């Protein structure tokens, strides 16, 4: 028997699962991240998959990846490069090796590196490791396909000394009940078992996840559990090419119950919580579109919470039906991505002039047009702010992380309901599909109250729809059917006093100004500055989902001795009241965003004499922290002769 391996403790590790779109890499990565969150690790994930429904098997364009960063404490990004790369075929190794650190451990299925596989992946020789300059000693090579078939057609056995074996694995063969195609689909679980061995994960947690996921298909659950055990056994018995097993002990500061949650699921839960606090039914009118569809899927599961979901025939009807639900007195939501916002704009305008509480969720993706449907950008910001006809002000909020999607959705709903206005919530594919460790609230009492401005008894009998609170300028909300509050709303301008249709120029000017001022008066928290906020030489500015990468870049620069601060915008319209003071405080400011300068242009229009540096990328991929650090150092040390490899410019 081989000697017992040493268990080494790590602060963090990045694992990337990659293979064909049908290889189940998203599921394997999701299970690993869920198990890690369950034991208290900080996590950040990045699903990276192609837009093809099913690319040709083994092709370079069909590779799907899932990267997960696990830490003993809080984790802010999925990591620039991975410590462990799982490559289920030759194409995955060819395309994904660039995401591996020098010295990374590589796990491959040698059964998927045959002559035809290598040809599809455009390898020139059978020495694929040599072609890519990969040290064979860093490779855990395993004939996974053969071993999966063997595991599902032979009785299970527990090697002596492996205390984790047998806890969850079923006894006996299960291959007789499964066809060959189904058996081969479990290869991802073998790879997951190997990774669980490498990082000393308890297979009971994995088994419980699979039993719950495949509760209606126990044979599938049993097969997957057995294959995971086989992968774990392979690592334990052979020790592969690795010399140690690693453990990442949790250092969670705040005790409580945690779960691995994606941004889309967190958004759905935030909406449910807001409806509960407001005492209103939740209505979602939506049309399926990548990457927002999971919000519809999740909410459709919660009819018991008073949730009504309608999958409409198109984007226009999805938004129009939500406008009707808002008029009827519900918390009304429509979810989409950038192309859908284009189609919804007319109905969004109707909600503006009617002053109805409508929440529009824009899960941004690569554009223009169909663009990059499965990739992430921040290119809808100006569309959210200005992409409608007429003077159409709307509050705009941007979620900072997958877990922040819960709070952002709740806050957006609160603003919509308390100020009777449509609100745009910006997320994007990165935070929507990514996940983090979410601390569940102990009770609903932890959440703020939501108090819509309902009509008062004093208005009964002489109510008109645009009577307003003199301080907030919010109109009073009458629900259709309330006796004594009959009124009409519509797309034509109304007289602010009588509610009747009006083409009077003075009235229209007044109503436009009132609608704009109402939004401007919405109270939002001050802009928070982190890092060296009192003496920074450089202020990094961003919005929404880039928070984790910009925060990590700031911390790296501070470790190098630079004085750097970060201000990340969550509330974009209205801007925090201290925005101008913060932006003018520092000698150098750089606005970093995943577009060609939309936030920078917006801030320049709002803050006099504000001329920041700009860092802009439109790659459909998250920022790379090392690139950010290099670019920001060029600002801090302008006399350095080296040339940055990234885009960096001064604003016009």
């Amino acid at each position: 028997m081989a000697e017992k391996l040493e268990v080494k403790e790590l602060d963090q590790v990045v694992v990337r699962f990659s293979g064909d779109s049908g290889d189940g890499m998203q599921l394997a990565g999701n299970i690993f991240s869920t198990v890690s969150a369950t034991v208290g690790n900080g996590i950040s994930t990045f699903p990276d998959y192609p837009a093809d429904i099913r690319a040709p098997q083994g092709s370079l364009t069909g590779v799907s990846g899932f990267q997960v960063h696990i830490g003993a404490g809080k984790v802010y990004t999925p990591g620039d490069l991975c410590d462990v790369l799982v490559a289920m075929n030759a194409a995955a190794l060819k395309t994904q090796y660039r995401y591996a650190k020098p010295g990374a451990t590589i796990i491959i299925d040698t059964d998927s590196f045959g002559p035809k596989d290598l040809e599809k992946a455009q390898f020139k020789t059978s020495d694929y490791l040599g072609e890519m300059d990969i040290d064979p000693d860093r490779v855990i090579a395993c004939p996974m396909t053969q071993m999966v078939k063997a595991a599902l057609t032979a009785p299970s056995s527990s090697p002596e000394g492996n205390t984790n074996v047998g806890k969850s694995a079923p006894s006996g063969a299960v291959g007789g009940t499964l066809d060959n195609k189904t058996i081969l689909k479990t290869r991802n679980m073998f790879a997951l078992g190997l990774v669980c061995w490498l990082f000393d994960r308890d297979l009971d947690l994995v088994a419980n996840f699979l039993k719950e996921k495949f509760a209606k298909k126990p044979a599938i659950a049993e097969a997957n559990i057995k294959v995971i055990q086989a992968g774990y056994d392979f690592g334990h018995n052979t020790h592969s090419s690795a010399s140690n097993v690693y453990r990442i002990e949790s250092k969670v500061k705040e005790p409580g119950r945690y779960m691995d949650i994606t941004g889309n699921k967190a958004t759905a839960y935030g909406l449910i919580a807001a409806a509960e606090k407001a005492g209103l039914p939740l209505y979602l009118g939506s049309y399926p579109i990548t990457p927002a569809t999971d919000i519809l899927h999740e909410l459709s599961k919660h009819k018991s919470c008073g949730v009504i979901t309608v999958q409409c025939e198109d984007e226009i009807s999805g938004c129009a039906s939500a406008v009707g639900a808002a008029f009827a007195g519900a918390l009304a939501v429509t979810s989409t991505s950038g192309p859908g916002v284009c189609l919804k704009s007319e109905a969004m305008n109707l909600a503006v002039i009617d002053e109805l509480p409508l929440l529009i969720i824009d899960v941004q993706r690569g554009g223009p047009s169909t663009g990059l449907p499965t990739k992430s950008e921040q290119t809808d910001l100006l569309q959210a702010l200005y992409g409608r006809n007429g003077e159409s002000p709307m509050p705009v909020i941007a979620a900072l992380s997958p877990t922040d999607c819960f709070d952002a959705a709740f806050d957006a709903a609160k603003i919509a309901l308390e100020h009777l206005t449509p609100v745009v919530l910006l997320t994007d594919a990165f935070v929507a599909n990514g996940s983090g460790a979410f601390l569940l609230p102990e009770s609903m009492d932890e959440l703020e109250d939501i108090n819509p401005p309902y009509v008062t008894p004093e208005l009964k009998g002489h109510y008109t729809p645009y009577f307003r609170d003199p301080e907030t300028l919010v109109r009073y909300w009458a629900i259709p059917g309330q006796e004594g509050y009959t009124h009409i709303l519509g797309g034509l301008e109304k007289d602010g006093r009588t509610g009747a249709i009006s083409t009077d120029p003075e009235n229209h000017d007044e109503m436009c100004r009132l609608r704009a001022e109402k939004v401007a008066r919405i109270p939002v928290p001050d802009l928070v500055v982190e890092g060296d906020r009192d003496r920074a030489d450089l202020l990094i500015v961003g919005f929404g989902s880039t928070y984790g990468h910009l925060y990590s870049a700031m911390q790296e620069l501070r470790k190098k001795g630079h004085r750097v601060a970060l201000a990340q915008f969550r509330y974009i319209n209205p801007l925090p009241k201290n925005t101008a003071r913060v932006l003018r405080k520092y000698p150098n400011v750089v606005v970093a965003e995943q577009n060609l300068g939309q936030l920078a242009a917006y801030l320049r229009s709002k803050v006099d004499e504000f001329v920041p540096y700009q860092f802009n990328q439109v790659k459909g991929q998250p920022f790379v922290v090392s690139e950010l650090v290099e670019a920001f150092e060029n600002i801090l040390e302008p006399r350095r002769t080296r040339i940055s490899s990234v885009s960096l410019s001064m604003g016009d």
Side-chain angles (χ1 to χ4, degrees):
M1 179 183 297
E3 61 180 291
K4 183 176 176 61
L5 294 183
E6 180 185 356
V7 178
K8 288 190 173 182
E9 287 196 13
L10 300 176
D11 287 332
Q12 57 184 351
V13 73
V14 178
V15 180
R16 188 175 183 94
F17 297 84
S18 62
D20 266 332
S21 292
D23 282 343
M25 295 295 94
Q26 307 297 316
L27 177 60
N30 180 253
I31 294 174
F32 188 62
S33 62
T34 297
V35 170
S36 300
T38 301
V39 299
N41 291 146
I43 64 167
S44 176
T45 70
F46 174 49
D48 188 14
Y49 51 92
D52 309 55
I53 294 175
R54 179 60 65 86
Q57 187 174 10
S59 65
L60 294 172
T61 60
V63 175
S64 175
F66 189 103
Q67 187 158 305
V68 55
H69 185 181
I70 300 167
K74 189 170 182 178
V75 171
Y76 292 92
T77 77
D80 287 356
L81 301 172
C82 64
D83 301 282
V84 176
L85 172 64
V86 177
M88 298 297 288
N89 61 17
L93 181 65
K94 187 70 172 286
T95 60
Q96 305 297 298
Y97 183 64
R98 60 177 174 163
Y99 299 115
K101 294 177 181 177
T105 298
I106 315 295
I107 298 173
I108 64 172
D109 177 6
T110 54
D111 288 333
S112 295
F113 282 76
K116 290 186 178 179
D117 302 306
L118 296 176
E119 182 181 353
K120 289 180 183 178
Q122 299 179 12
F123 281 102
K124 298 176 181 179
T125 69
S126 60
D127 182 17
Y128 50 89
L129 296 180
E131 279 190 45
M132 300 191 69
D133 196 25
I134 298 175
D135 183 355
D137 289 340
R138 297 193 287 112
V139 178
I140 300 177
C142 172
M144 294 187 197
T145 302
Q146 296 178 46
M147 298 197 73
V148 163
K149 290 180 179 180
L152 295 181
T153 55
S156 59
S157 60
S158 300
E160 182 181 355
N162 186 353
T163 58
N164 208 344
V165 172
K167 287 186 178 181
S168 306
S171 60
V174 298
T177 63
L178 301 175
D179 58 71
N180 188 61
K181 184 178 180 181
T182 303
I183 289 174
L184 292 180
K185 283 185 177 180
T186 65
R187 290 167 57 244
N188 60 332
M189 295 296 103
F190 191 98
L192 177 60
L194 252 176
V195 174
C196 286
W197 164 77
L198 193 59
F199 295 103
D200 199 35
R201 291 303 187 213
D202 186 350
L203 295 193
D204 279 345
L205 297 174
V206 182
N208 291 337
F209 180 97
L210 289 168
K211 288 175 182 177
E212 183 176 342
K213 179 175 179 61
F214 297 109
K216 296 181 180 180
K217 298 178 180 179
I220 299 296
E222 181 184 4
N224 280 291
I225 292 170
K226 190 166 188 179
V227 170
I228 286 176
Q229 188 73 62
Y232 189 101
D233 291 349
F234 178 84
H236 176 82
N237 294 336
T238 66
H239 296 173
S240 304
S241 299
S243 59
N244 297 287
V245 171
Y246 302 97
R247 179 180 296 137
I248 302 168
E249 292 291 352
S250 174
K251 298 177 183 177
V252 175
K253 297 179 180 179
E254 188 172 357
R257 183 183 176 190
Y258 287 80
M259 67 178 293
D260 176 18
I261 194 169
T262 66
N264 275 340
K265 181 177 283 191
T267 298
Y269 288 178
L271 296 173
I272 294 171
E276 179 72 19
K277 291 296 287 189
L280 295 175
L282 172 60
Y283 175 88
L284 176 73
S286 188
Y287 180 75
I289 182 171
T290 302
T293 307
D294 283 343
I295 298 173
L296 171 62
H297 288 167
E298 185 61 36
L299 286 177
S300 68
K301 302 174 185 177
H302 298 285
K303 295 180 177 64
S304 61
C305 297
V307 179
I308 302 168
T309 56
V310 178
Q311 181 176 318
C312 298
E313 63 268 28
D314 54 37
E315 296 282 6
I316 298 171
S317 57
C319 190
S321 68
V323 172
F327 177 70
L331 169 53
V333 185
T334 187
S335 56
T336 188
S337 190
V341 174
C342 297
L343 294 167
K344 295 178 189 291
S345 62
E346 184 176 6
M348 291 165 63
N349 257 6
L350 179 59
V352 170
I353 199 167
D354 288 349
E355 299 187 49
L356 289 171
L358 172 68
L359 179 52
I360 305 101
I361 300 172
D362 178 3
V363 186
Q364 300 168 95
R365 72 187 203 185
S369 188
T370 307
L372 304 174
T374 63
K375 307 304 180 183
S376 186
E377 287 179 5
Q378 295 183 302
T379 45
D380 294 350
L381 176 60
L382 293 183
Q383 179 179 224
L385 290 166
Y386 302 119
R388 297 166 293 282
N389 70 291
E391 294 291 338
S392 304
M394 286 188 190
V396 177
I397 295 176
L400 304 181
S401 68
T403 55
D404 184 57
C405 284
F406 177 92
D407 293 325
F410 185 92
D411 293 347
K414 179 178 171 67
I415 288 174
L417 289 170
E418 293 189 340
H419 296 271
L420 291 196
T421 178
V423 177
V424 178
L425 171 60
L426 293 175
T427 68
D428 55 44
F430 171 64
V431 294
N433 294 324
S435 64
F438 178 57
L439 176 61
L440 279 73
E442 290 289 335
S443 72
M444 291 294 291
D445 293 338
E446 293 183 20
L447 304 177
E448 293 185 57
D449 292 333
I450 297 178
N451 301 301
Y454 293 118
V455 290
T456 62
E458 293 77 18
L459 294 173
K460 187 173 182 179
H462 58 91
Y463 168 77
T464 63
Y466 296 108
F467 278 178
R468 301 177 186 275
D469 180 283
E471 295 297 324
T472 64
L473 301 182
V474 178
R475 74 178 187 88
Y476 296 100
W477 194 15
I479 308 303
Q482 286 184 276
E483 184 180 354
Y485 301 95
T486 303
H487 64 286
I488 297 174
L489 297 177
L492 291 172
E493 184 67 276
K494 304 295 191 299
D495 185 284
R497 293 157 187 81
T498 67
I501 294 174
S502 172
T503 59
D504 178 70
E506 298 302 325
N507 175 76
H508 180 57
D509 183 83
E510 180 184 11
M511 291 296 282
C512 285
R513 294 176 186 277
L514 283 170
R515 287 188 288 262
E517 182 62 22
K518 180 184 74 170
V519 171
R521 292 189 185 186
I522 294 173
V524 299
D526 277 351
L527 183 61
V528 175
V529 180
E530 300 179 86
D532 299 305
R533 55 180 177 270
D534 295 324
R535 59 190 188 98
D537 297 317
L538 174 67
L539 175 69
I540 304 168
V541 173
F543 78 95
S545 64
T546 58
Y547 171 74
H549 293 83
L550 297 181
Y551 180 88
S552 298
M554 176 193 72
Q555 294 293 66
E556 288 298 316
L557 288 165
R558 295 178 73 201
K559 289 177 184 177
K560 291 186 173 187
H562 297 295
R563 296 183 301 187
V564 185
L566 169 67
Q568 192 79 1
F569 282 92
R570 190 169 184 265
Y571 299 90
I572 301 172
N573 190 37
L575 286 168
K577 293 188 181 301
N578 67 333
T579 295
R581 175 163 47 85
V582 168
L583 297 182
R584 290 171 177 160
K585 180 177 179 180
Y586 301 94
N588 296 292
V589 179
V590 58
V591 179
E593 46 190 322
Q594 291 180 305
N595 56 49
L596 296 182
Q598 296 185 23
L599 178 64
Y602 176 64
L603 292 175
R604 289 201 302 269
S605 74
K606 296 293 184 180
V607 180
D608 292 339
E609 300 180 3
F610 175 60
V611 184
Y613 290 91
Q614 293 178 211
F615 180 94
N616 304 111
Q617 286 185 347
V618 195
K619 297 183 176 181
Q621 296 287 326
F623 282 148
V624 176
V625 173
S626 60
E627 291 182 357
L628 293 170
V629 170
E630 181 182 3
F632 300 160
E633 277 190 308
N634 284 340
I635 300 172
L636 289 162
E637 303 178 29
R639 296 182 181 178
R640 297 176 67 169
T641 57
R642 63 183 179 82
I643 300 174
S644 173
S645 61
V646 296
S647 171
L648 188 65
S649 64
M650 288 292 290
D652 296 332

